[in-house]
Amino acid sequence: MLSCILKIRVTVKNLSTGASLDAVLGTELPENAYSGTFVDFNRHFAKIGDVLEIVAHSPNAYVGVRPVPPIVVNAEDVLTSRIKLPDLELFEIPSETELLANYANPFNPET
């Protein structure tokens, strides 16, 4: 289980315009979750039909972040001035792996 506080760098890039927003998330919530808000004060970051790419990176070599599928901005997103992004999934990367010799199953002698 990932119990330490990690600082995750998240970049949201508008593939339609090339604009990007970047933040480092590191505030741990009670549920071992993180929350962040990206703000564009000019309100020009995204419009209907724009495609957003979300990329997250952990500075810890033993923690990975699953890729997030692209988000297409819809009318509700623009109307509410809020785009709900999917949750980021973190996973542990083993520090070492080992391949052990096979052994017989006492209930099935074939290995």
Side-chain angles (χ1 to χ4, degrees):
M1 175 161 56
L2 301 170
S3 59
C4 61
I5 296 178
L6 297 171
K7 295 196 180 290
I8 304 297
R9 176 169 294 282
V10 179
T11 302
V12 179
K13 182 175 183 180
N14 186 329
L15 297 179
S16 304
T17 65
S20 65
L21 298 171
D22 190 67
V24 175
L25 307 181
T27 304
E28 190 172 5
L29 299 174
E31 307 83 35
N32 286 330
Y34 297 84
S35 178
T37 302
F38 294 85
V39 178
D40 174 24
F41 292 108
N42 298 320
R43 297 182 148 209
H44 294 101
F45 184 76
K47 57 184 185 283
I48 297 171
D50 283 356
V51 179
L52 305 181
E53 173 187 66
I54 298 96
V55 177
H57 175 74
S58 167
N60 185 325
Y62 300 113
V63 176
V65 184
R66 295 202 195 288
V68 177
I71 303 294
V72 178
V73 178
N74 61 39
E76 183 181 342
D77 297 333
V78 173
L79 183 64
T80 60
S81 296
R82 181 183 172 108
I83 300 170
K84 175 85 167 96
L85 301 178
D87 292 338
L88 296 177
E89 294 181 37
L90 304 178
F91 59 93
E92 291 182 271
I93 299 172
S95 59
E96 64 182 59
T97 58
E98 186 176 355
L99 181 61
L100 301 173
N102 60 344
Y103 57 93
N105 178 340
F107 302 103
N108 181 358
E110 295 181 25
T111 58

